[in-house]
Amino acid sequence: MPTLSAAGAEGLPAGVRLFDPGVAEGQGDATRFTPANLPMSGHVAKAMLAQFVQLARESKTVADVSAFASGVYEDFHKNTTHAIKDQIQAAVQGEDAAAKALERTLSKAQTELCLAWALEDVARELKGLEARLDDQWKTFEQNLGMDGDDALDDDGLGLVEGKPSLVPSGPAVPARMILDAVLAFLPEGCGLFSRDAALRADWEEFGVTFAPASEATLARFGLEAQGAWLEAEAEGRRLCLSRRADPEKAWQARSVTVLVPAGS
């Protein structure tokens, strides 16, 4: 699964950057890539992120969050610097429908990435709570005298099986949406890096063909171990798991390099 946050992305190659949709803390982080053409400013994106995080804590499915996110997107888009600028220019020069449509598409892509970031934050939070709950539950069982070799009566078994689940995986934005949103901002000459075996399998199902990575590609990604990596050159629409390119999304027709571990 694509990841935006640093947690779970340890040990990345020197040439790989995590994608920041304008919400990461700190400036000038060399491990991150923040596109220059994000429609929403940092403070607007962070305000949206805070709302998403709160909602994600209260939701059990991504559908719950997405339904809310659509409305939030409309509200936040109206207040972006680009949206206000477009309104002024439209009043003076007449509306450029294509430019406005692209602006809204990019705003929606940034919104989806903010939502994905929020859900990753909450998933990590739940995993931490789950780990603490496991420790406390073991103490609880020991206090009841329930060792591993003990045969539990019905009451004891009911207590053990009554352990609550925090659903640490939580809701998540589908990989295809994250990938499509990232590709919308990916500059020419940049590629994608993934260590997710399931994602590679999905790519292959959509016609992406991998071959041993060349020395030039390895150098681009900050790698040296030839033979340990595979690369592919594929249309964006295949990488975002789409059967056909959306004519309103030029990046889906553009070829992009993707690198994966050979053993994945």
Side-chain angles (χ1 to χ4, degrees):
M1 185 70 180
T3 183
L4 300 175
S5 61
E10 296 81 4
L12 286 175
V16 175
R17 302 287 180 268
L18 290 169
F19 189 96
D20 170 26
V23 297
E25 296 297 333
Q27 300 292 325
D29 187 345
T31 67
R32 296 200 163 277
F33 166 69
T34 306
N37 61 335
L38 289 171
M40 287 177 275
S41 64
H43 74 274
V44 172
K46 288 176 182 178
M48 176 185 285
L49 176 67
Q51 290 197 29
F52 285 165
V53 168
Q54 183 59 38
L55 181 69
R57 290 189 179 120
E58 302 167 359
S59 304
K60 291 186 177 180
T61 70
V62 74
D64 297 337
V65 188
S66 295
F68 175 79
S70 297
V72 170
Y73 156 68
E74 294 295 338
D75 291 340
F76 275 85
H77 173 78
K78 292 175 185 176
N79 296 320
T80 64
T81 303
H82 288 272
I84 295 170
K85 181 180 177 182
D86 286 346
Q87 292 169 10
I88 296 172
Q89 288 180 338
V92 175
Q93 304 173 358
E95 236 176 57
D96 184 337
K100 187 171 183 179
L102 176 60
E103 187 66 39
R104 289 181 61 80
T105 299
L106 292 179
S107 293
K108 189 177 182 201
Q110 188 179 3
T111 299
E112 290 166 350
L113 291 168
C114 287
L115 176 58
W117 186 294
L119 295 179
E120 284 184 24
D121 273 352
V122 173
R124 286 196 304 277
E125 187 178 283
L126 289 175
K127 286 178 182 178
L129 290 172
E130 187 79 16
R132 289 197 290 275
L133 177 61
D134 285 343
D135 291 340
Q136 292 174 0
W137 202 260
K138 288 175 184 176
T139 302
F140 168 67
E141 291 177 349
Q142 291 170 358
N143 290 339
L144 290 176
M146 298 177 184
D147 293 328
D149 297 331
D150 289 343
L152 302 178
D153 57 22
D154 289 343
D155 289 339
L157 186 60
L159 285 170
V160 172
E161 292 179 345
K163 175 186 171 183
S165 172
L166 296 179
V167 195
S169 58
V173 175
R176 60 180 177 77
M177 290 179 64
I178 298 177
L179 290 163
D180 185 43
V182 167
L183 288 172
F185 298 104
L186 197 69
E188 292 281 355
C190 290
L192 298 178
F193 172 85
S194 174
R195 296 182 295 199
D196 190 319
L199 180 56
R200 173 186 164 184
D202 287 340
W203 278 335
E204 290 177 327
E205 184 179 338
F206 277 78
V208 178
T209 303
F210 289 92
S214 67
E215 289 186 9
T217 298
L218 292 175
R220 281 177 58 193
F221 284 86
L223 295 165
E224 297 178 355
Q226 199 153 14
W229 304 92
L230 301 175
E231 68 173 309
E233 191 81 11
E235 289 175 294
R237 60 102 177 169
R238 295 183 189 275
L239 296 177
C240 64
L241 310 179
S242 177
R243 297 295 179 189
R244 58 183 63 85
D246 185 333
E248 295 185 357
K249 298 179 177 180
W251 54 89
Q252 288 193 1
R254 190 173 67 232
S255 290
V256 178
T257 300
V258 60
L259 190 74
V260 301
S264 65

